[in-house]
Amino acid sequence: MTKIDPTLTEALRGIVGPEAVRVGAPMSELTTFRIGGPAAVVVEPATTDEAAQVLSACHAAGAEVRVMGLGSDLLVSDAGVDAVVVRLAQRFSGIKVQGTKLFVDAGASNEQVAQAALAAGLAGYEFASGIPGTIGGAAIMNAGAYGGEFRDVCCGLTCATPDGRIVEVTAWQAC
């Protein structure tokens, strides 16, 4: 496995804090199937800005990046991942309710989002309560079940591009 440049590792620690960067972390600890060898580096941003800075630093260093959530149904080779793994999970899982809308970080689980909607008296995301994984994964794959799909309930997304730019994506339907 190729080592990530220590200068990049230190830069990542400066962005997210030393506790949120692990070198050689076993992916088996981060996947629901509990399989997978070590990742060169796992970094866990806590905010959109941190995620964008991480991606920008990796892009500038020419490092390969893989993004994951909670590792639901993720198969990882025993040889590991020769890349910076950006894990959007517990540290990046905030949920805010404003009126009839939820503002959710990519690492929040579908179950957490469905429960927050229920607590706020909002309908529409019930279909996703049993789907493993995060809202970020649901957005990327247009998760759906029981006649509902992510696209039916999403008004827009804030995304970070591979080079670290922040872009807003508005849904096709009016919200």
Side-chain angles (χ1 to χ4, degrees), residues 8 23 25 29 37 42 55 61 65 82 85 92 100 108-109 127 132 141 160 162 174:
L8 174 59
V23 175
E29 294 177 0
V42 174
L55 292 172
V65 174
D82 191 16
V85 175
F92 192 38
T100 60
S109 73
F127 72 87
M141 64 179 281

Side-chain angles (χ1 to χ4, degrees), residues 30-34 68-75 87 89 133-134:
L30 303 175
T31 64
T32 57
F33 286 125
R34 298 293 180 217
M68 69 176 288
L70 294 171
S72 303
D73 302 333
L74 185 62
L75 302 175
R87 185 169 185 255
T134 62

